[in-house]
PDB file of all heavy atoms in Angstrom:
ATOM      1  N   ARG A   1       8.656   0.109  -4.449  1.00  0.00           N
ATOM      2  CA  ARG A   1       7.858  -0.768  -5.328  1.00  0.00           C
ATOM      3  C   ARG A   1       8.621  -2.039  -5.683  1.00  0.00           C
ATOM      4  O   ARG A   1       8.052  -2.943  -6.229  1.00  0.00           O
ATOM      5  CB  ARG A   1       7.553  -0.026  -6.665  1.00  0.00           C
ATOM      6  CG  ARG A   1       6.564   1.140  -6.473  1.00  0.00           C
ATOM      7  CD  ARG A   1       5.970   1.526  -7.849  1.00  0.00           C
ATOM      8  NE  ARG A   1       7.007   2.009  -8.726  1.00  0.00           N
ATOM      9  CZ  ARG A   1       7.219   3.289  -8.922  1.00  0.00           C
ATOM     10  NH1 ARG A   1       6.628   4.223  -8.211  1.00  0.00           N
ATOM     11  NH2 ARG A   1       8.179   3.647  -9.800  1.00  0.00           N
ATOM     12  N   ARG A   2       9.870  -2.133  -5.251  1.00  0.00           N
ATOM     13  CA  ARG A   2      10.715  -3.229  -5.454  1.00  0.00           C
ATOM     14  C   ARG A   2      11.229  -3.951  -4.327  1.00  0.00           C
ATOM     15  O   ARG A   2      11.782  -5.088  -4.390  1.00  0.00           O
ATOM     16  CB  ARG A   2      12.024  -2.772  -6.384  1.00  0.00           C
ATOM     17  CG  ARG A   2      11.620  -2.223  -7.674  1.00  0.00           C
ATOM     18  CD  ARG A   2      12.852  -1.650  -8.499  1.00  0.00           C
ATOM     19  NE  ARG A   2      12.477  -1.295  -9.828  1.00  0.00           N
ATOM     20  CZ  ARG A   2      12.424  -2.154 -10.790  1.00  0.00           C
ATOM     21  NH1 ARG A   2      12.639  -3.419 -10.620  1.00  0.00           N
ATOM     22  NH2 ARG A   2      12.136  -1.750 -11.997  1.00  0.00           N
ATOM     23  N   TRP A   3      11.019  -3.439  -3.118  1.00  0.00           N
ATOM     24  CA  TRP A   3      11.489  -3.961  -1.896  1.00  0.00           C
ATOM     25  C   TRP A   3      10.287  -4.495  -1.120  1.00  0.00           C
ATOM     26  O   TRP A   3       9.338  -3.847  -0.872  1.00  0.00           O
ATOM     27  CB  TRP A   3      12.288  -2.972  -1.079  1.00  0.00           C
ATOM     28  CG  TRP A   3      12.736  -3.482   0.311  1.00  0.00           C
ATOM     29  CD1 TRP A   3      11.977  -3.568   1.470  1.00  0.00           C
ATOM     30  CD2 TRP A   3      14.043  -3.994   0.621  1.00  0.00           C
ATOM     31  NE1 TRP A   3      12.825  -4.078   2.409  1.00  0.00           N
ATOM     32  CE2 TRP A   3      13.995  -4.369   1.969  1.00  0.00           C
ATOM     33  CE3 TRP A   3      15.161  -4.163  -0.150  1.00  0.00           C
ATOM     34  CZ2 TRP A   3      15.127  -4.905   2.599  1.00  0.00           C
ATOM     35  CZ3 TRP A   3      16.289  -4.708   0.552  1.00  0.00           C
ATOM     36  CH2 TRP A   3      16.287  -5.075   1.868  1.00  0.00           C
ATOM     37  N   HIS A   4      10.343  -5.745  -0.563  1.00  0.00           N
ATOM     38  CA  HIS A   4       9.303  -6.388   0.229  1.00  0.00           C
ATOM     39  C   HIS A   4       8.006  -6.058  -0.431  1.00  0.00           C
ATOM     40  O   HIS A   4       7.033  -5.541   0.248  1.00  0.00           O
ATOM     41  CB  HIS A   4       9.383  -5.871   1.656  1.00  0.00           C
ATOM     42  CG  HIS A   4       8.754  -6.932   2.562  1.00  0.00           C
ATOM     43  ND1 HIS A   4       8.803  -6.709   3.996  1.00  0.00           N
ATOM     44  CD2 HIS A   4       8.093  -7.935   2.481  1.00  0.00           C
ATOM     45  CE1 HIS A   4       8.203  -7.715   4.582  1.00  0.00           C
ATOM     46  NE2 HIS A   4       7.740  -8.459   3.611  1.00  0.00           N
ATOM     47  N   ILE A   5       7.882  -6.460  -1.711  1.00  0.00           N
ATOM     48  CA  ILE A   5       6.715  -6.166  -2.461  1.00  0.00           C
ATOM     49  C   ILE A   5       5.381  -6.486  -1.823  1.00  0.00           C
ATOM     50  O   ILE A   5       4.355  -5.896  -1.902  1.00  0.00           O
ATOM     51  CB  ILE A   5       6.870  -6.731  -3.894  1.00  0.00           C
ATOM     52  CG1 ILE A   5       8.113  -6.100  -4.559  1.00  0.00           C
ATOM     53  CG2 ILE A   5       5.664  -6.400  -4.732  1.00  0.00           C
ATOM     54  CD1 ILE A   5       8.441  -6.760  -5.874  1.00  0.00           C
ATOM     55  N   SER A   6       5.406  -7.787  -1.246  1.00  0.00           N
ATOM     56  CA  SER A   6       4.178  -8.253  -0.650  1.00  0.00           C
ATOM     57  C   SER A   6       3.654  -7.489   0.545  1.00  0.00           C
ATOM     58  O   SER A   6       2.469  -7.245   0.650  1.00  0.00           O
ATOM     59  CB  SER A   6       4.278  -9.706  -0.323  1.00  0.00           C
ATOM     60  OG  SER A   6       5.349  -9.890   0.818  1.00  0.00           O
ATOM     61  N   LEU A   7       4.560  -6.905   1.336  1.00  0.00           N
ATOM     62  CA  LEU A   7       4.131  -6.159   2.462  1.00  0.00           C
ATOM     63  C   LEU A   7       3.790  -4.785   1.948  1.00  0.00           C
ATOM     64  O   LEU A   7       2.766  -4.177   2.416  1.00  0.00           O
ATOM     65  CB  LEU A   7       5.265  -6.043   3.425  1.00  0.00           C
ATOM     66  CG  LEU A   7       4.981  -5.067   4.697  1.00  0.00           C
ATOM     67  CD1 LEU A   7       3.910  -5.696   5.461  1.00  0.00           C
ATOM     68  CD2 LEU A   7       6.181  -4.883   5.533  1.00  0.00           C
ATOM     69  N   SER A   8       4.572  -4.100   1.078  1.00  0.00           N
ATOM     70  CA  SER A   8       4.174  -2.795   0.472  1.00  0.00           C
ATOM     71  C   SER A   8       2.835  -2.833  -0.167  1.00  0.00           C
ATOM     72  O   SER A   8       2.038  -1.985   0.020  1.00  0.00           O
ATOM     73  CB  SER A   8       5.249  -2.371  -0.525  1.00  0.00           C
ATOM     74  OG  SER A   8       6.492  -2.278   0.054  1.00  0.00           O
ATOM     75  N   GLY A   9       2.492  -3.941  -0.878  1.00  0.00           N
ATOM     76  CA  GLY A   9       1.224  -4.115  -1.493  1.00  0.00           C
ATOM     77  C   GLY A   9       0.100  -4.189  -0.450  1.00  0.00           C
ATOM     78  O   GLY A   9      -1.025  -3.699  -0.693  1.00  0.00           O
ATOM     79  N   TRP A  10       0.437  -4.982   0.569  1.00  0.00           N
ATOM     80  CA  TRP A  10      -0.565  -5.161   1.623  1.00  0.00           C
ATOM     81  C   TRP A  10      -1.005  -3.810   2.358  1.00  0.00           C
ATOM     82  O   TRP A  10      -2.176  -3.603   2.397  1.00  0.00           O
ATOM     83  CB  TRP A  10       0.016  -6.065   2.736  1.00  0.00           C
ATOM     84  CG  TRP A  10      -1.019  -6.687   3.608  1.00  0.00           C
ATOM     85  CD1 TRP A  10      -1.611  -7.957   3.553  1.00  0.00           C
ATOM     86  CD2 TRP A  10      -1.522  -6.029   4.803  1.00  0.00           C
ATOM     87  NE1 TRP A  10      -2.496  -8.079   4.626  1.00  0.00           N
ATOM     88  CE2 TRP A  10      -2.535  -6.971   5.450  1.00  0.00           C
ATOM     89  CE3 TRP A  10      -1.413  -4.897   5.473  1.00  0.00           C
ATOM     90  CZ2 TRP A  10      -3.216  -6.716   6.512  1.00  0.00           C
ATOM     91  CZ3 TRP A  10      -2.135  -4.527   6.588  1.00  0.00           C
ATOM     92  CH2 TRP A  10      -3.038  -5.472   7.150  1.00  0.00           C
ATOM     93  N   PHE A  11       0.010  -3.085   2.621  1.00  0.00           N
ATOM     94  CA  PHE A  11      -0.271  -1.709   3.285  1.00  0.00           C
ATOM     95  C   PHE A  11      -0.983  -0.780   2.275  1.00  0.00           C
ATOM     96  O   PHE A  11      -1.845  -0.096   2.632  1.00  0.00           O
ATOM     97  CB  PHE A  11       1.071  -1.093   3.719  1.00  0.00           C
ATOM     98  CG  PHE A  11       1.437  -1.478   5.108  1.00  0.00           C
ATOM     99  CD1 PHE A  11       2.623  -2.214   5.310  1.00  0.00           C
ATOM    100  CD2 PHE A  11       0.653  -1.216   6.215  1.00  0.00           C
ATOM    101  CE1 PHE A  11       3.018  -2.631   6.587  1.00  0.00           C
ATOM    102  CE2 PHE A  11       1.058  -1.628   7.541  1.00  0.00           C
ATOM    103  CZ  PHE A  11       2.208  -2.282   7.703  1.00  0.00           C
ATOM    104  N   ARG A  12      -0.629  -0.939   1.010  1.00  0.00           N
ATOM    105  CA  ARG A  12      -1.315  -0.077   0.011  1.00  0.00           C
ATOM    106  C   ARG A  12      -2.734  -0.501   0.014  1.00  0.00           C
ATOM    107  O   ARG A  12      -3.616   0.458   0.019  1.00  0.00           O
ATOM    108  CB  ARG A  12      -0.636  -0.326  -1.323  1.00  0.00           C
ATOM    109  CG  ARG A  12      -1.346   0.528  -2.505  1.00  0.00           C
ATOM    110  CD  ARG A  12      -0.869   0.015  -3.852  1.00  0.00           C
ATOM    111  NE  ARG A  12      -1.285  -1.362  -4.016  1.00  0.00           N
ATOM    112  CZ  ARG A  12      -0.520  -2.392  -4.478  1.00  0.00           C
ATOM    113  NH1 ARG A  12       0.664  -2.217  -4.867  1.00  0.00           N
ATOM    114  NH2 ARG A  12      -1.079  -3.574  -4.640  1.00  0.00           N
ATOM    115  N   ASP A  13      -3.129  -1.715  -0.181  1.00  0.00           N
ATOM    116  CA  ASP A  13      -4.478  -2.147  -0.475  1.00  0.00           C
ATOM    117  C   ASP A  13      -5.320  -2.209   0.807  1.00  0.00           C
ATOM    118  O   ASP A  13      -6.552  -1.937   0.726  1.00  0.00           O
ATOM    119  CB  ASP A  13      -4.395  -3.537  -1.086  1.00  0.00           C
ATOM    120  CG  ASP A  13      -3.803  -3.646  -2.377  1.00  0.00           C
ATOM    121  OD1 ASP A  13      -3.742  -2.579  -3.056  1.00  0.00           O
ATOM    122  OD2 ASP A  13      -3.522  -4.722  -2.913  1.00  0.00           O
ATOM    123  N   TYR A  14      -4.750  -2.399   2.004  1.00  0.00           N
ATOM    124  CA  TYR A  14      -5.543  -2.523   3.267  1.00  0.00           C
ATOM    125  C   TYR A  14      -5.408  -1.403   4.188  1.00  0.00           C
ATOM    126  O   TYR A  14      -6.076  -1.369   5.234  1.00  0.00           O
ATOM    127  CB  TYR A  14      -5.200  -3.900   3.941  1.00  0.00           C
ATOM    128  CG  TYR A  14      -5.397  -5.012   3.052  1.00  0.00           C
ATOM    129  CD1 TYR A  14      -4.383  -5.953   2.668  1.00  0.00           C
ATOM    130  CD2 TYR A  14      -6.669  -5.314   2.494  1.00  0.00           C
ATOM    131  CE1 TYR A  14      -4.471  -7.031   1.858  1.00  0.00           C
ATOM    132  CE2 TYR A  14      -6.822  -6.400   1.612  1.00  0.00           C
ATOM    133  CZ  TYR A  14      -5.783  -7.223   1.299  1.00  0.00           C
ATOM    134  OH  TYR A  14      -6.009  -8.344   0.471  1.00  0.00           O
ATOM    135  N   LEU A  15      -4.572  -0.461   3.954  1.00  0.00           N
ATOM    136  CA  LEU A  15      -4.394   0.714   4.799  1.00  0.00           C
ATOM    137  C   LEU A  15      -4.354   1.983   4.044  1.00  0.00           C
ATOM    138  O   LEU A  15      -5.217   2.927   4.289  1.00  0.00           O
ATOM    139  CB  LEU A  15      -3.162   0.574   5.682  1.00  0.00           C
ATOM    140  CG  LEU A  15      -2.917   1.732   6.784  1.00  0.00           C
ATOM    141  CD1 LEU A  15      -4.116   1.748   7.718  1.00  0.00           C
ATOM    142  CD2 LEU A  15      -1.611   1.470   7.492  1.00  0.00           C
ATOM    143  N   TYR A  16      -3.544   2.194   3.050  1.00  0.00           N
ATOM    144  CA  TYR A  16      -3.257   3.426   2.363  1.00  0.00           C
ATOM    145  C   TYR A  16      -4.487   3.822   1.594  1.00  0.00           C
ATOM    146  O   TYR A  16      -5.165   4.943   1.698  1.00  0.00           O
ATOM    147  CB  TYR A  16      -2.179   3.306   1.352  1.00  0.00           C
ATOM    148  CG  TYR A  16      -1.945   4.561   0.580  1.00  0.00           C
ATOM    149  CD1 TYR A  16      -1.416   5.752   1.094  1.00  0.00           C
ATOM    150  CD2 TYR A  16      -2.219   4.593  -0.764  1.00  0.00           C
ATOM    151  CE1 TYR A  16      -1.163   6.793   0.350  1.00  0.00           C
ATOM    152  CE2 TYR A  16      -2.004   5.637  -1.640  1.00  0.00           C
ATOM    153  CZ  TYR A  16      -1.473   6.829  -1.037  1.00  0.00           C
ATOM    154  OH  TYR A  16      -1.268   7.913  -1.820  1.00  0.00           O
ATOM    155  N   ILE A  17      -5.143   2.890   0.795  1.00  0.00           N
ATOM    156  CA  ILE A  17      -6.304   3.238   0.013  1.00  0.00           C
ATOM    157  C   ILE A  17      -7.580   3.368   0.914  1.00  0.00           C
ATOM    158  O   ILE A  17      -8.307   4.295   0.733  1.00  0.00           O
ATOM    159  CB  ILE A  17      -6.529   1.996  -0.943  1.00  0.00           C
ATOM    160  CG1 ILE A  17      -5.440   2.103  -2.001  1.00  0.00           C
ATOM    161  CG2 ILE A  17      -7.943   2.138  -1.676  1.00  0.00           C
ATOM    162  CD1 ILE A  17      -5.513   1.000  -3.104  1.00  0.00           C
ATOM    163  N   PRO A  18      -7.838   2.563   1.922  1.00  0.00           N
ATOM    164  CA  PRO A  18      -8.901   2.864   2.893  1.00  0.00           C
ATOM    165  C   PRO A  18      -8.832   4.216   3.553  1.00  0.00           C
ATOM    166  O   PRO A  18      -9.842   4.794   3.874  1.00  0.00           O
ATOM    167  CB  PRO A  18      -8.906   1.693   3.866  1.00  0.00           C
ATOM    168  CG  PRO A  18      -8.223   0.575   3.113  1.00  0.00           C
ATOM    169  CD  PRO A  18      -7.253   1.248   2.239  1.00  0.00           C
ATOM    170  N   LEU A  19      -7.611   4.670   3.795  1.00  0.00           N
ATOM    171  CA  LEU A  19      -7.413   6.025   4.420  1.00  0.00           C
ATOM    172  C   LEU A  19      -7.761   7.139   3.452  1.00  0.00           C
ATOM    173  O   LEU A  19      -7.872   8.244   3.838  1.00  0.00           O
ATOM    174  CB  LEU A  19      -5.950   6.164   4.922  1.00  0.00           C
ATOM    175  CG  LEU A  19      -5.595   5.418   6.179  1.00  0.00           C
ATOM    176  CD1 LEU A  19      -4.168   5.638   6.477  1.00  0.00           C
ATOM    177  CD2 LEU A  19      -6.436   5.950   7.455  1.00  0.00           C
ATOM    178  N   GLY A  20      -7.941   6.739   2.185  1.00  0.00           N
ATOM    179  CA  GLY A  20      -8.229   7.798   1.150  1.00  0.00           C
ATOM    180  C   GLY A  20      -7.165   7.835   0.079  1.00  0.00           C
ATOM    181  O   GLY A  20      -7.454   8.481  -0.980  1.00  0.00           O
ATOM    182  N   GLY A  21      -6.060   7.137   0.223  1.00  0.00           N
ATOM    183  CA  GLY A  21      -5.104   7.043  -0.903  1.00  0.00           C
ATOM    184  C   GLY A  21      -4.630   8.442  -1.294  1.00  0.00           C
ATOM    185  O   GLY A  21      -4.366   9.292  -0.496  1.00  0.00           O
ATOM    186  N   ASN A  22      -4.678   8.641  -2.596  1.00  0.00           N
ATOM    187  CA  ASN A  22      -4.334   9.927  -3.129  1.00  0.00           C
ATOM    188  C   ASN A  22      -5.535  10.704  -3.783  1.00  0.00           C
ATOM    189  O   ASN A  22      -5.332  11.460  -4.660  1.00  0.00           O
ATOM    190  CB  ASN A  22      -3.178   9.749  -4.184  1.00  0.00           C
ATOM    191  CG  ASN A  22      -3.556   8.788  -5.362  1.00  0.00           C
ATOM    192  OD1 ASN A  22      -4.777   8.295  -5.384  1.00  0.00           O
ATOM    193  ND2 ASN A  22      -2.671   8.505  -6.291  1.00  0.00           N
ATOM    194  N   ARG A  23      -6.692  10.254  -3.363  1.00  0.00           N
ATOM    195  CA  ARG A  23      -7.926  10.834  -3.980  1.00  0.00           C
ATOM    196  C   ARG A  23      -8.393  12.119  -3.403  1.00  0.00           C
ATOM    197  O   ARG A  23      -9.323  12.747  -4.005  1.00  0.00           O
ATOM    198  CB  ARG A  23      -9.030   9.753  -3.886  1.00  0.00           C
ATOM    199  CG  ARG A  23      -8.699   8.449  -4.430  1.00  0.00           C
ATOM    200  CD  ARG A  23      -9.932   7.508  -4.470  1.00  0.00           C
ATOM    201  NE  ARG A  23     -10.421   7.355  -3.100  1.00  0.00           N
ATOM    202  CZ  ARG A  23     -10.125   6.446  -2.303  1.00  0.00           C
ATOM    203  NH1 ARG A  23      -9.113   5.561  -2.604  1.00  0.00           N
ATOM    204  NH2 ARG A  23     -10.619   6.255  -1.136  1.00  0.00           N
ATOM    205  N   LYS A  24      -7.825  12.577  -2.309  1.00  0.00           N
ATOM    206  CA  LYS A  24      -8.339  13.749  -1.634  1.00  0.00           C
ATOM    207  C   LYS A  24      -7.369  14.877  -1.504  1.00  0.00           C
ATOM    208  O   LYS A  24      -7.356  15.576  -0.496  1.00  0.00           O
ATOM    209  CB  LYS A  24      -8.801  13.328  -0.235  1.00  0.00           C
ATOM    210  CG  LYS A  24      -9.962  12.269  -0.305  1.00  0.00           C
ATOM    211  CD  LYS A  24     -10.423  11.910   1.182  1.00  0.00           C
ATOM    212  CE  LYS A  24     -11.497  10.829   1.073  1.00  0.00           C
ATOM    213  NZ  LYS A  24     -11.969  10.471   2.440  1.00  0.00           N
TER     214      LYS A  24
END
């Protein structure tokens, strides 16, 4: 959450969440 924040946020919003995130 503190390292390369812009890339971590990109993967979270455009890959992790579309894959289902932690909702399933």
Side-chain angles (χ1 to χ4, degrees):
R1 289 198 297 264
R2 296 176 174 276
W3 177 279
H4 203 173
I5 297 170
S6 62
L7 179 66
S8 299
W10 196 98
F11 274 116
R12 179 196 64 224
D13 294 343
Y14 303 121
L15 183 58
Y16 178 73
I17 292 176
L19 284 173
N22 57 3
R23 302 187 302 273
K24 300 180 180 180

